[in-house]
Amino acid sequence: MRGIASVPTYVVMQPNTLCNLDCSYCYLPFRQVDKRMPVEVAAAVAELVAEWARSGRFSVVWHGGEPLATGREHLAALLAPFGSGIEHHVQTNATLIDDAWCDFFIEHQVRVSVSVDGPEAYNGERITRGGRPAYDRIVRGIDTLRRRGIPFSALCVVGDPRPGVAAGLYDYFLDLGCDVLGINVEEREGVNTRANRHEAADVTAFWSELVAAWRREPRIHLREVEWSLRYVAAVLDGTADDLLPRRLDPIPTIAYDGSVVLLSPELAGFHDPRYGDFSSGNVLERPLGEILAGAAATPWIAEFLDGVQACRQSCPYFGFCGGAHAANRYFEHGRFDTTETDHCRNSKIRLLEGVLDHARDHQPTGVGG
């Protein structure tokens, strides 16, 4: 984890800025404005993606605002330059999904991930632009995916991680029928300035309870827990140093206008007096490969790499997370060379501690000191 890789494992494409929902915790600054990506931007990215894809699996993630608000015709035009052999993903709130969109997903082989925060009582933050609950519309879209036999992942934001929450959440997603589940503890970033600090014992207990629920019935892939267990197993067999990549994934995010923000999609669209707009270039002006090659020269990225090095030297959890959360550092501390954040505590440190607590509580009788 020293420096930035010249080839990413995926790119994030912002087909439009508009979202038809107005979730309370959303970080996106322009979600009420309809600015669509020109096809020329997609074509400029696709040229290099085709080269990267020849070396192995490569993903293009269509994310933010609400990609389906782009419309089927325009989204198809954005997909077209990528040709075959590229794995496309869309992150959607599902409210616009109907049979026509299911036909689109099947035709273009698009993998679907749905944002939903669990049972209706947990979805109070997910509201329409008119302030009405969006849950029924979300579930209607999910039901359409299920009726059409289209597999989907789920992404859940948890605003109050505490004991008694995780098991019910997991059971809900088992019944929902998703193949993969990702759990994000709400983060303070972008235009969401709400504090995300929680009692350490509560968050640890939340993750421990989630591990227990998953182990009882591991029918779906649980992203954070499975990664944690792989790390623990690697520590035990002495191979933990091989888990993290040698260099940070640049995660290029291509905004609707072609500007490129690296490392943290959440920084796109923001401006700072010291760092400017966080962009490292624009694909309509410079090839994406050149932008990636010069990444370390971007002032805020150089500062962030100093922060990663500080984490490496000071944090016992560095081997687990790699210190690679630029947006959290900035939106919590106002700069990039700091170390621990509330996001680290909630979603890395407490996660690993929860996994270990569960392991200690369920070790065989007579094992341990």
Side-chain angles (χ1 to χ4, degrees):
M1 296 290 284
R2 296 181 184 274
I4 300 174
S6 58
V7 177
T9 57
Y10 65 100
V11 297
V12 178
M13 302 286 286
Q14 184 184 44
N16 68 318
T17 56
L18 180 69
C19 186
N20 60 323
L21 297 188
D22 193 22
C23 303
S24 305
Y25 51 65
C26 184
Y27 64 86
L28 293 169
F30 304 122
R31 61 183 184 272
Q32 297 186 2
V33 181
D34 189 5
K35 295 183 179 181
R36 299 187 181 189
M37 176 180 284
V39 174
E40 291 78 10
V41 171
V45 176
E47 185 175 351
L48 189 53
V49 164
E51 179 182 327
W52 290 333
R54 283 195 287 271
S55 301
R57 178 182 177 185
F58 195 89
S59 299
V60 176
V61 180
W62 301 90
H63 186 6
E66 167 51 47
L68 304 194
T70 308
R72 287 184 295 278
E73 183 177 345
H74 189 63
L75 189 55
L78 295 175
L79 290 171
F82 291 92
S84 60
I86 306 298
E87 189 176 285
H88 289 280
H89 299 249
V90 63
Q91 185 67 44
T92 175
N93 60 41
T95 60
L96 300 176
I97 293 177
D98 56 14
D99 281 303
W101 271 112
C102 288
D103 292 338
F104 181 96
F105 300 145
I106 294 169
E107 178 185 355
H108 297 281
Q109 298 182 315
V110 176
R111 302 188 181 198
V112 180
S113 179
V114 173
S115 299
V116 58
D117 299 338
E120 184 172 7
Y122 292 176
N123 275 266
E125 309 280 5
R126 302 187 61 75
I127 56 176
T128 67
R129 302 260 301 272
R132 298 179 63 83
Y135 182 75
D136 288 346
R137 295 174 60 188
I138 295 169
V139 171
R140 186 166 61 245
I142 294 172
D143 286 343
T144 305
L145 290 172
R146 295 176 64 174
R147 176 169 53 80
R148 294 295 301 273
I150 296 175
F152 64 95
S153 303
L155 184 62
C156 171
V157 175
V158 177
D160 185 18
R162 54 183 168 78
V165 171
L169 267 182
Y170 185 74
D171 289 343
Y172 172 85
F173 285 104
L174 278 178
D175 292 339
L176 195 68
C178 60
D179 294 334
V180 181
L181 173 61
I183 300 289
N184 287 353
V185 176
E186 182 181 339
E187 301 170 40
R188 179 180 177 178
E189 59 187 7
V191 296
N192 178 23
T193 59
R194 303 191 306 195
N196 64 331
R197 183 162 295 185
H198 306 281
E199 290 293 331
D202 286 349
V203 183
T204 301
F206 168 84
W207 288 116
S208 181
E209 182 183 310
L210 189 63
V211 178
W214 175 77
R215 289 195 66 196
R216 283 196 301 270
E217 196 168 358
R219 285 195 286 113
I220 59 179
H221 290 291
L222 189 49
R223 186 183 63 184
E224 289 75 18
V225 168
E226 291 186 31
W227 163 248
S228 303
L229 292 173
R230 284 198 299 272
Y231 175 75
V232 171
V235 169
L236 292 175
D237 65 20
T239 61
D241 287 346
D242 297 329
L243 279 183
L244 292 176
R246 298 299 93 189
R247 294 179 179 273
L248 292 167
D249 193 321
I251 316 176
T253 296
I254 318 302
Y256 76 95
D257 62 355
S259 59
V260 181
V261 172
L262 303 178
L263 297 172
S264 284
E266 299 84 1
L267 291 169
F270 289 91
H271 187 278
D272 182 272
R274 287 204 301 142
Y275 309 115
D277 63 2
F278 301 107
S279 171
S280 293
N282 190 297
V283 296
L284 296 178
E285 299 168 359
R286 293 171 58 203
L288 182 56
E290 287 186 14
I291 294 173
L292 293 177
T298 303
W300 75 262
I301 293 179
E303 183 178 289
F304 168 69
L305 293 175
D306 289 341
V308 173
Q309 181 62 21
C311 284
R312 183 196 317 277
Q313 294 172 345
S314 64
C315 182
Y317 297 88
F318 182 82
F320 178 57
C321 84
H325 301 282
N328 297 111
R329 295 170 191 254
Y330 176 73
F331 289 116
E332 290 191 31
H333 297 304
R335 55 186 305 116
F336 295 96
D337 53 2
T338 58
T339 53
E340 192 172 306
T341 63
D342 284 330
H343 172 68
C344 291
R345 300 180 188 101
N346 293 333
S347 298
K348 300 297 180 181
I349 295 173
R350 308 307 175 214
L351 165 60
L352 188 57
E353 290 177 347
V355 169
L356 295 174
D357 279 357
H358 172 81
R360 282 190 289 265
D361 291 342
H362 293 82
Q363 65 183 354
T365 303
V367 175

